[in-house]
Amino acid sequence: MTRDRRSTLALLAGSSAVQMSSNMVAALLAASVLGPHGRGLMVLGVSTAGIVPLLAGLGTGPQLRAAYPAAGGGARRRDLVASYTWWSVAATASAAVLAVAVSALSAPLIDPALADPRYLLALSVLTCGYVAHTQLPDGWYAAGVFRSGSLWAMATTLGGGLGLLVAVAVAPSVWALLLGQGTGMLSAATAQVVALRATGLLCFQAPTRRELSRLLGRGCRALGLTLGLALALRLDRYVLGALTGAAAVGVYSVASTLGQVPRMMPNAIGQLVNRDAAVASGPLRPVRTVAATAGVVTAVGAVTGLLGWLVVIPLLGPGFAAAGPLLVVLLVAEVAFVPYAVASRALLGAGRMGAVGAFGLAWSAAALVLFLLAVQLWGAAGAAVACVAVYAGISASSWLLLTRWTARRQGPDRPRLADSDDPRPGGADDPRPEAAGDAQPRPAPLSRV
């Protein structure tokens, strides 16, 4: 691994760690202020605000990252960026409306408080913040500017945490905490929009119909993965809330938030893997990458599990005692998640939108069945065990999809990572400097990570 590569990975991991830490502190603070029932309502709102932007974005973020390196310079690249910019604006408005509708429709099934007007207003603001947090960093990552993308993603998360702290001090209620978090995220996102425009990675000129159609058409094929897997990874909260009530979701969410702390390394590695695949930088041999990442996740998970078990009751009270055993199971699930984090990013970066989309939809359906059965039988413990099964299943099947595809597409004498869904002129042999993505240094092959 080169020095620049190590530096980029350290920055991505550091940004992910800061975001995870911010989310963990916010979750513990909210749980201590709101109690199990109030925290459960907040978790359902945050989960909705996190999932709906993926639907509204229609896979345009992954498609931008796959297409940008090969778009060349000049008019075609500006048109691609303009299409992405205007669709992100439209996604912000549509996501807010959709989130409110989902929450209001869920209220009779889970809790009437989900339809409270103040709750719905706060949810709409938070959803707009999550759209920005989902769409804007992909502009930086598409161009290979990982430093700026990581720092802005971190700033958005910290802005949300700061807004939540203000809300705790001013009006410690569920809707106020959601509103504070959303306002803080949008404040940081506004500054990020200015920075993106200054570098040409956001453009408000009118896009051509052809480029916008191409962005949406190819992006939609990734929607099954981005949305389907988001549902698969968060259905546990909704099913648990529907079958056992919001209080159980509050306890479970504490364990889930702590359990996701080790995910900072897979998140960082995934960004580099995605870029490598998009610029076709070398042979795809990610076994060593997965092994090293799994080792880090196991070590961080062991420390997180020990500390979490010791501090949950002293910090939050006996009402959250069940979070300790759940945390142990969910940390096992994080280890099982690692191969998926690598394989899915590689497939998206290579433009395999259709294949991964079908994969995501299939696993969202399977996850729903597993969670319904497990929660009905064993409650929150069943949801945690089902998470292990779901994460292991999506990792195994995504890894199989990746290895089968690379075996077909890469012979021993073909170092280039081909793309069957989106033939691009900017491959490894393209002599144009812009084909490498704004003349960014070409990343090392995955086998060197």
Side-chain angles (χ1 to χ4, degrees):
M1 187 187 292
T2 65
R3 180 177 299 177
D4 288 344
R5 185 83 163 174
R6 286 195 299 269
S7 175
T8 300
L9 180 59
L11 180 65
L12 288 168
S15 173
S16 184
V18 170
Q19 293 180 68
M20 290 289 182
S21 300
S22 176
N23 289 335
M24 181 181 66
V25 171
L28 294 175
L29 178 61
S32 65
V33 171
L34 300 175
H37 181 262
R39 175 57 186 163
L41 293 174
M42 185 174 179
V43 167
L44 292 169
V46 171
S47 296
T48 302
I51 291 175
V52 167
L54 299 176
L55 176 59
L58 291 182
T60 51
Q63 175 58 25
L64 176 72
R65 296 180 65 172
Y68 187 91
R76 184 183 174 194
R77 179 168 287 179
R78 284 196 302 272
D79 199 20
L80 173 64
V81 171
S83 298
Y84 184 74
T85 299
W86 281 109
W87 188 258
S88 297
V89 172
T92 303
S94 60
V97 174
L98 184 57
V100 168
V102 169
S103 184
L105 292 172
S106 301
L109 183 64
I110 299 176
D111 195 295
L114 296 177
D116 183 281
R118 295 171 299 177
Y119 183 93
L120 296 177
L121 173 63
L123 178 60
S124 65
V125 174
L126 180 63
T127 302
C128 292
Y130 267 99
V131 173
H133 190 47
T134 301
Q135 295 287 104
L136 295 182
D138 278 334
W140 301 108
Y141 295 144
V145 189
F146 292 108
R147 179 177 298 275
S148 296
S150 300
L151 292 176
W152 280 111
M154 184 170 58
T156 304
T157 301
L158 291 176
L162 180 60
L164 187 143
L165 286 175
V166 173
V168 167
V170 175
S173 61
V174 175
W175 71 268
L177 266 62
L178 290 174
L179 181 61
Q181 184 177 354
T183 303
M185 294 177 72
L186 284 176
S187 298
T190 301
Q192 185 177 181
V193 167
V194 175
L196 282 165
R197 288 197 67 186
T199 56
L201 294 174
L202 278 186
C203 177
F204 287 94
Q205 74 177 29
T208 64
R209 182 177 301 178
R210 178 183 178 185
E211 191 62 48
L212 181 60
S213 298
R214 180 185 302 171
L215 178 70
L216 294 174
R218 292 176 177 169
C220 281
R221 288 184 281 176
L223 188 61
L225 184 71
T226 55
L227 178 62
L229 266 297
L231 288 172
L233 301 182
R234 299 197 189 195
L235 275 172
D236 48 355
R237 282 84 158 172
Y238 289 101
V239 173
L240 193 61
L243 297 181
T244 63
V249 178
V251 175
Y252 181 86
S253 71
V254 170
S256 180
T257 301
L258 293 173
Q260 290 180 15
V261 169
R263 200 176 291 184
M264 59 187 177
M265 183 55 69
N267 284 346
I269 288 289
Q271 301 297 345
L272 292 179
V273 168
N274 185 277
R275 177 68 177 174
D276 285 353
V279 300
S281 63
L284 193 62
R285 302 187 188 115
V287 175
R288 192 176 303 174
T289 304
V290 170
T293 306
V296 174
V297 169
T298 301
V300 175
V303 175
T304 303
L306 178 61
L307 294 177
W309 193 289
L310 293 175
V311 305
V312 164
I313 295 179
L315 283 178
L316 305 180
F320 289 90
L326 294 174
L327 173 60
V328 175
V329 180
L330 291 172
L331 286 169
V332 174
E334 289 301 312
V335 179
F337 182 80
V338 172
Y340 162 75
V342 174
S344 63
R345 287 289 186 177
L347 290 165
L348 284 173
R352 294 290 298 171
M353 305 300 177
V356 296
F359 163 82
L361 290 175
W363 267 106
S364 64
L368 178 60
V369 174
L370 283 173
F371 284 124
L372 283 171
L373 179 62
V375 172
Q376 186 69 46
L377 293 174
W378 303 299
V385 172
C387 271
V388 177
V390 170
Y391 288 12
I394 62 175
S395 285
S397 52
S398 62
W399 190 261
L400 178 62
L401 183 64
L402 178 65
T403 54
R404 290 182 63 183
W405 179 72
T406 52
R408 283 199 311 269
R409 284 293 178 181
Q410 291 182 241
D413 299 324
R414 291 184 63 193
R416 184 179 183 274
L417 183 64
D419 172 14
S420 62
D421 277 349
D422 185 13
R424 294 167 293 176
D429 299 322
D430 194 326
R432 298 173 300 164
E434 66 268 22
D438 275 348
Q440 293 292 326
R442 189 167 293 182
L446 295 182
S447 56
R448 300 179 190 172
V449 174

